[in-house]
C-alpha cells in the first residue's frame, strides 16, 4: 500500500479548512494544511470579525447622540480617531491569527506557509516542496468580484476597506447586498457622507419583501440612496475619484467601494488539470459528500458557492472530516442546509430564518403573516426616528412557523434562538404558549396574535 506523507491535506486555513483539519487530526488522521495569506481566512481577517468591530465603533456615535435624552452631558464634542480604531482592530486580528495557528499546531496539524496547488494525483506543491496525501481538501474561499468598467482599479473592495488608514469624508458604495449595506452603516456611523448606488429598485435581494422595503426606507435616513443606478466609469480627479453614472451625471468622492459580490478563488490551483470540474461561475462542483470529480479531492466553504457563510463552511468542513476519519456513516456526517439563519450587520440590523412570505405562499396552501412595527422603548426618550420590524410567516394547515424576519436592534442575537425553534418544528400555538420576557423586543415574537389582512 502506498504510504502518503499525510492522510489529509487541506489547502486554505479559513473557517472551513481549519475546522476540517482540526477535526481530522483529532480523529487521528495525519493532517497538513497550507495557507498563503492569513490564518483564519476572510472571516477572521477581512470579514465578519473586523466588520463587527467596526459596527460597534459606528454604534458608539448613536449612543453619544442619544445620551442627552438619558441625562448625560458630554462636555466636549467627541472626536473619532479612525487610525486608533484601525490599530486596535489590527492588534486583535493578529492575536486571533496567532490563536488559529496555535489551534492547528496544538491539534497536531502540520502547517505549511505558502501558496499550494494540486500538482498530480495525491500531490500538492507548496513553493518548492511537494507533499503527498491520501485525501486533499480545497477550502480556499472566495474573492471580491468587481465589474470590469473603465477605472475600476480606482475603487476599493472590502479587503481594502480594512486597510484604510484615513477616513474618507465622502464615499460611494456600489452594491445592495450584505457588504454594501453593512459598510454603509459603518461609514455613516463614523461620520462619513455615504452615497449608496444599487442597480435594482430595492436593497437586499433575496430577503423578505417587507424587510427589504423597511430597510430601503431606513437607510435613506443616513445615506444618499441611488436606486436603479449603474456606474459607467471612474476617473482620478486630484486626490478624489470622479464617478460617471449611467444617466450621464458625475459626482466626486474621496473613495469608491465596490461590494458587488464574491466569486470562488479557484484560479492557479491546478484544479482543472487534475480532473476537478468547475461551474460557470468557477465554483468547484462537489457531490453530496463534498467530493469533486477527481476522486480523493474534496472542497468545502465559499469555493463551492452553496451558502457562503462561515458557520456553513464550519459545518461542511467538520462533516467531511468526520465522514473520512470518523468511522461508519453517521447523521453528523451530513450538513443540513434547511433553515440556515442569517444576519446582516447593517443599521438597523437584519436577521432571518426560514422562508420569506413569497416563498411560503409559493409552497403552502394558506399562509398567515404576523407583523409588528414599533418604536423600541429606548427611543421613546431619545425621539430618534428609529423603528423595528418583526414578522412571522405561518403555514396555516400545519400551524408550523416557517419563517421569521426582523429588522432592528439585536436582530441577530434574537434570531439565533428563533432558528432553534424552527429547527424543532415549532408551531404558532407553541410560540403563543411561550411566556415573554418583558420588556424586550423579542417578546413580540410570542405575543403576535392577529394575522395581517392580505
Ligand atoms: P451580495 O451577493 O450580498 O451582494 C452583491 C450586490 O452586488 C447585490 O446587490 C448585487 O445586485 C450587486 N451586483 C452584483 N453584480 C453587479 C454588477 N455587475 N454591477 C452592479 N451591481 C452588482 O454580495 P456581497 O459582496 O455583499 O457579499 C458577499 C457574500 O459574503 C454575501 O453574499 C454573503 O454570503 C457573505 N457575507 C455575509 C455577511 C454576514 O453574514 N453578515 C457579511 C458580508 C458578506 P443584485 O442583487 O441585483 O444581484
Amino acid at each position: 500500500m502506498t504510504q502518503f506523507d499525510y492522510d489529509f491535506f487541506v489547502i486554505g486555513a479559513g473557517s472551513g479548512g481549519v475546522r476540517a483539519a482540526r477535526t481530522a487530526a483529532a480523529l487521528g488522521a495525519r493532517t497538513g494544511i497550507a495557507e498563503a495569506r492569513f490564518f483564519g481566512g476572510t472571516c477572521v481577517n477581512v470579514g465578519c470579525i473586523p466588520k463587527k468591530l467596526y459596527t460597534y465603533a459606528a454604534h458608539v456615535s448613536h449612543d453619544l447622540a442619544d445620551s442627552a435624552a438619558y441625562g448625560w452631558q458630554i462636555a466636549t464634542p467627541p472626536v473619532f480617531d479612525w487610525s486608533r480604531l484601525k490599530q486596535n482592530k489590527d492588534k486583535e486580528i493578529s492575536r486571533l491569527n496567532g490563536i488559529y495557528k496555535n489551534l492547528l499546531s496544538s491539534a497536531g496539524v502540520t502547517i505549511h506557509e505558502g501558496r499550494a496547488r494540486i500538482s498530480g494525483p495525491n500531490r500538492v506543491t507548496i513553493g518548492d516542496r511537494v507533499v503527498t496525501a491520501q485525501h486533499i481538501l480545497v477550502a480556499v474561499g472566495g474573492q471580491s468580484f468587481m465589474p470590469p468598467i473603465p477605472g475600476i482599479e480606482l475603487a476599493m473592495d472590502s479587503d481594502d476597506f480594512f486597510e484604510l488608514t484615513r477616513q474618507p469624508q465622502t464615499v460611494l458604495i456600489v452594491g445592495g447586498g450584505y457588504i454594501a449595506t453593512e459598510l454603509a452603516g459603518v461609514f455613516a456611523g463614523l461620520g462619513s457622507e455615504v452615497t449608496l448606488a444599487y442597480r435594482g429598485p430595492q436593497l437586499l435581494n433575496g430577503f423578505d419583501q417587507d424587510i427589504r422595503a423597511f430597510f430601503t426606507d431606513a437607510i435613506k435616513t443616513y445615506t444618499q440612496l441611488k436606486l436603479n443606478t449603474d456606474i459607467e466609469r471612474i476617473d482620478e480627479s486630484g486626490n478624489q475619484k470622479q464617478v460617471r453614472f449611467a444617466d450621464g451625471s458625475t459626482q466626486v468622492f474621496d473613495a469608491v467601494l465596490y461590494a458587488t459580490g464574491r466569486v470562488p478563488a479557484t484560479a492557479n490551483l491546478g484544479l482543472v488539470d487534475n480532473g476537478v470540474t468547475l461551474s460557470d461561475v468557477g465554483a468547484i462542483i462537489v457531490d453530496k459528500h463534498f467530493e469533486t470529480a477527481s476522486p480523493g479531492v474534496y472542497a468545502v466553504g465559499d469555493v463551492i458557492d452553496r451558502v457562503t457563510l462561515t458557520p456553513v463552511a464550519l459545518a461542511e468542513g467538520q462533516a467531511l472530516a468526520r465522514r473520512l476519519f470518523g468511522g461508519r456513516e453517521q447523521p453528523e456526517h451530513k450538513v443540513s442546509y434547511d433553515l440556515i439563519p442569517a444576519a446582516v450587520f447593517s443599521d438597523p440590523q437584519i436577521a432571518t430564518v426560514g422562508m420569506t412570505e413569497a416563498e411560503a405562499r409559493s409552497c403552502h396552501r394558506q399562509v398567515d403573516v404576523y407583523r409588528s412595527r414599533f418604536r423600541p422603548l429606548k427611543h421613546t426618550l431619545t425621539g430618534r426616528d428609529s423603528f423595528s420590524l418583526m414578522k412571522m410567516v405561518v403555514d396555516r394547515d400545519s400551524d408550523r412557523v416557517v419563517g421569521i424576519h426582523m429588522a432592528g436592534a439585536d436582530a441577530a442575537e434574537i434570531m439565533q434562538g428563533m432558528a432553534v425553534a424552527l429547527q424543532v418544528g415549532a408551531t404558532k400555538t407553541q410560540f403563543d404558549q411561550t411566556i415573554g420576557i418583558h420588556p424586550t423586543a423579542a417578546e413580540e415574537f410570542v405575543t403576535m396574535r392577529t394575522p395581517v389582512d392580505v
Side-chain angles (χ1 to χ4, degrees):
M1 199 179 125
T2 318
Q3 178 64 37
F4 297 110
D5 298 332
Y6 293 104
D7 300 317
F8 191 47
F9 195 87
V10 181
I11 303 178
S15 306
V18 169
R19 176 61 66 85
R22 287 175 60 203
T23 307
L27 290 168
R30 292 169 310 130
T31 304
I33 195 164
E35 173 56 51
R37 204 170 163 207
F38 27 49
F39 287 82
T42 299
C43 178
V44 168
N45 293 277
V46 284
C48 336
I49 302 297
K51 176 275 309 293
K52 188 89 187 278
L53 295 176
Y54 274 83
T55 66
Y56 288 131
H59 274 277
V60 172
S61 72
H62 299 322
D63 291 338
L64 287 169
D66 292 341
S67 64
Y70 283 94
W72 288 91
Q73 281 183 24
I74 309 284
T76 46
V79 178
F80 170 64
D81 181 346
W82 181 284
S83 62
R84 170 78 65 88
L85 170 62
K86 180 176 182 300
Q87 279 163 24
N88 290 348
K89 179 272 291 180
D90 287 346
K91 218 157 78 190
E92 173 58 11
I93 299 306
S94 75
R95 189 184 73 87
L96 289 176
N97 271 203
I99 287 178
Y100 265 77
K101 239 169 139 173
N102 281 342
L103 283 173
L104 286 164
S105 39
S106 57
V109 177
T110 306
I111 294 173
H112 296 255
E113 295 198 40
R115 200 175 156 77
R117 69 186 162 79
I118 300 177
S119 48
N122 305 99
R123 279 163 69 96
V124 175
T125 299
I126 314 120
D128 53 10
R129 283 156 293 157
V130 175
V131 298
T132 58
Q134 186 178 7
H135 303 285
I136 297 170
L137 170 63
V138 183
V140 294
Q143 63 201 28
S144 304
F145 160 77
M146 291 162 108
I149 59 158
I152 191 70
E153 67 284 355
L154 300 174
M156 305 185 278
D157 68 1
S158 51
D159 286 14
D160 302 321
F161 167 82
F162 293 110
E163 287 306 312
L164 273 180
T165 51
R166 288 182 41 210
Q167 177 172 14
Q169 289 313 305
T170 55
V171 57
L172 171 69
I173 299 178
V174 183
Y178 279 84
I179 296 177
T181 55
E182 289 182 344
L183 294 187
V186 167
F187 271 123
L190 298 179
S192 299
E193 263 177 53
V194 181
T195 302
L196 184 72
Y198 172 52
R199 63 181 176 182
Q202 208 164 50
L203 303 172
L204 292 174
N205 224 345
F207 284 76
D208 183 86
Q209 188 53 40
D210 281 332
I211 296 288
R212 294 180 68 193
F214 176 89
F215 182 75
T216 302
D217 273 351
I219 201 171
K220 283 180 194 156
T221 61
Y222 61 87
T223 61
Q224 289 292 321
L225 185 59
K226 286 175 170 285
L227 296 174
N228 303 308
T229 301
D230 284 315
I231 281 85
E232 222 164 66
R233 60 178 299 124
I234 308 172
D235 292 288
E236 292 276 16
S237 170
N239 288 333
Q240 295 182 300
K241 322 282 174 234
Q242 177 173 283
V243 175
R244 187 182 171 85
F245 295 97
D247 65 4
S249 63
T250 59
Q251 211 175 325
V252 169
F253 300 92
D254 292 338
V256 178
L257 187 147
Y258 264 71
T260 42
R262 293 176 61 82
V263 287
T266 38
N268 306 321
L269 288 169
L271 296 175
V272 176
D273 293 349
N274 286 285
V276 174
T277 50
L278 305 180
S279 73
D280 295 348
V281 294
I284 297 178
I285 297 172
V286 291
D287 66 12
K288 62 180 178 181
H289 297 307
F290 305 107
E291 191 159 15
T292 70
S294 176
V297 178
Y298 307 82
V300 297
D302 286 7
V303 81
I304 63 172
D305 200 29
R306 275 190 189 164
V307 180
T308 51
L309 297 173
T310 282
V312 176
L314 294 173
E316 291 171 346
Q318 179 159 301
L320 172 68
R322 284 182 172 169
R323 196 181 72 80
L324 292 178
F325 306 109
R328 270 189 316 121
E329 184 101 352
Q330 301 288 340
E332 74 261 26
H333 299 159
K334 292 206 170 71
V335 178
S336 164
Y337 291 95
D338 290 337
L339 297 170
I340 295 171
V344 189
F345 293 94
S346 47
D347 178 17
Q349 240 178 51
I350 288 168
T352 177
V353 61
M355 292 183 201
T356 65
E357 181 182 340
E359 286 165 349
R361 290 198 187 285
S362 71
C363 65
H364 293 295
R365 210 169 53 85
Q366 280 179 303
V367 169
D368 285 330
V369 170
Y370 298 80
R371 195 165 47 209
S372 172
R373 181 182 185 276
F374 58 96
R375 188 195 286 269
L377 179 62
K378 179 180 179 185
H379 295 302
T380 54
L381 287 202
T382 67
R384 184 185 279 274
D385 200 18
S386 172
F387 290 83
S388 295
L389 179 71
M390 298 169 83
K391 179 168 176 179
M392 283 180 103
V393 182
V394 178
D395 165 31
R396 194 185 295 170
D397 289 342
S398 65
D399 195 35
R400 291 267 289 260
V401 179
V402 295
I404 302 189
H405 312 277
M406 176 173 175
D410 304 319
E413 301 289 347
I414 292 170
M415 203 55 64
Q416 187 67 79
M418 296 296 138
V420 178
L422 265 60
Q423 273 291 342
V424 298
T427 60
K428 180 68 171 65
T429 309
Q430 289 169 321
F431 269 81
D432 294 347
Q433 285 168 341
T434 304
I435 306 284
I437 299 175
H438 189 67
T440 62
E443 69 180 317
E444 284 292 317
F445 282 131
V446 295
T447 54
M448 291 170 156
R449 293 287 184 267
T450 315
V452 294
D453 286 335
V454 282

